[in-house]
Amino acid sequence: MAFNKVIIQGNISSEVELKQTQSGTSVCSFNVAVNRYSKDPNEAKADFFTVVAWQAKAEFLSRNFKKGSPILVCGRLENRSFEDKNGNKRTVTEIIAEEVSFVGY
């Protein structure tokens, strides 16, 4: 049995830009900053996660969220490999959004 579920709550730290694949499928990606607990408030740190959303979810996000918006994301982790412009192989880990919610602080 396999299980792959991620839940994060934080603030969007990059613009939510809607794009289209060559086949016309909507996609957007953005980063979410999630504060990390620290005993010393002067040493507050955050982790930044890349979130990718597809189709209607991507369109919803681009209409309703912007940089600085609080958000709750439920999804799964996926690794993606690609070759950069210098020919180096790279691997990134992204959260594929399955559910997104508005969050009030």
Side-chain angles (χ1 to χ4, degrees):
M1 180 173 171
F3 188 79
N4 181 352
K5 189 72 165 179
V6 174
I7 302 171
I8 61 170
Q9 181 178 322
N11 291 337
I12 296 176
S13 62
S14 63
E15 294 303 327
V16 179
E17 185 178 346
L18 184 66
K19 297 181 181 181
Q20 304 289 324
T21 65
Q22 289 183 356
S23 63
T25 303
S26 297
V27 61
C28 73
S29 65
F30 55 93
N31 294 321
V32 176
V34 178
N35 292 332
R36 190 184 314 160
Y37 173 78
S38 174
K39 290 181 183 179
D40 183 353
N42 296 323
E43 292 184 21
K45 295 183 181 180
D47 293 302
F48 294 82
F49 300 97
T50 300
V51 178
V52 177
W54 293 91
Q55 300 176 330
K57 199 170 304 356
E59 294 167 10
F60 170 80
L61 282 159
S62 70
R63 282 191 313 270
N64 295 289
F65 290 86
K66 62 182 189 232
K67 184 175 181 178
S69 296
I71 191 169
L72 178 104
V73 177
C74 299
R76 66 182 186 278
L77 288 177
E78 278 191 12
N79 293 320
R80 180 173 55 87
S81 298
F82 64 97
E83 196 170 289
D84 68 16
K85 61 184 177 184
N86 298 322
N88 300 311
K89 292 191 177 207
R90 304 279 184 202
T91 301
V92 295
T93 302
E94 300 167 324
I95 298 171
I96 306 302
E98 296 171 345
E99 299 174 50
V100 294
S101 297
F102 296 102
V103 177
Y105 282 44

